[in-house]
Amino acid sequence: AEAQAAAERSARIPDVTVGVFADREDEKDTVGLSLGIELPAWNQNNGPIAEADAHCRLAAAELRRRQVEQRLALAATVGDYETARAQAESLRTTVLPLAEETLRLRTIGFTNGDFPLTDLLEARRALLSTQTAALDARRRTAETLVRLGQVVGRYDLTAMAPSSSPTTTSPETTP
């Protein structure tokens, strides 16, 4: 767009044409040189220049819009990653150890006859549910990390086979 605007501006400058002619009439040779300059007295090429400038402004606005869109996507993905990471960490360090300890105590209590089998089974179910939640949180963390890589342009998932793992592209080969 900028090149088009520059070309339209340069079109205001008149073109110079140079010509050479030769003629022979009644055994008399005539040789001459012609020089022509267009004088743009009424045509300052304002319309095409304004159009090219408008295209430049439109391209700059589109670039700014895409940059804002990229920043918003990055911020949203970072937020998603932080949330998923915090959930996974909380489940791993707090909830899962409590569920394991509950199962251990219920197993001891059941062995001693203090708790019925249903309490032991409920503690086992709660532990399995917590383990499943912890694995889901880790999966969400990994998925958001991959999305984050896509947003910043570090993962090219379009070239991957369905069963392969993400590959990073080096900054030198990224356009």
Side-chain angles (χ1 to χ4, degrees), residues 32 35 37 50 94 101 128 130 137 162 174:
L35 180 65
I37 299 176
T94 306
E101 180 64 16
L128 289 174
T130 304
T174 303

Side-chain angles (χ1 to χ4, degrees), residues 153-156 167-174:
R154 303 240 354 173
Y155 288 100
D156 180 14
T167 56
T168 59
T169 57
S170 67
E172 296 83 33
T173 61
T174 303

Side-chain angles (χ1 to χ4, degrees), residues 73-129:
L74 180 62
T77 306
V78 166
D80 291 347
Y81 171 75
E82 287 299 323
T83 299
R85 188 196 55 75
Q87 284 177 339
E89 185 67 19
S90 174
L91 285 167
R92 185 183 66 79
T93 60
T94 306
V95 179
L96 197 54
L98 288 175
E100 289 169 346
E101 180 64 16
T102 300
L103 178 61
R104 187 183 73 75
L105 293 174
R106 294 290 168 121
T107 302
I108 293 170
F110 175 74
T111 305
N112 292 336
D114 296 333
F115 295 116
L117 179 62
T118 55
D119 286 356
L120 177 63
L121 293 176
E122 178 58 31
R124 187 172 297 248
R125 187 203 58 76
L127 176 61
L128 289 174
S129 177

Side-chain angles (χ1 to χ4, degrees), residues 120-173:
L120 177 63
L121 293 176
E122 178 58 31
R124 187 172 297 248
R125 187 203 58 76
L127 176 61
L128 289 174
S129 177
T130 304
Q131 288 171 332
T132 301
L135 288 173
D136 283 345
R138 288 180 61 195
R139 178 190 47 80
R140 281 191 309 276
T141 301
E143 286 173 351
T144 56
L145 188 59
V146 169
R147 267 198 347 255
L148 184 61
Q150 288 174 317
V151 167
V152 298
R154 303 240 354 173
Y155 288 100
D156 180 14
L157 297 180
T158 59
M160 290 177 20
S163 63
S164 64
S165 61
T167 56
T168 59
T169 57
S170 67
E172 296 83 33
T173 61

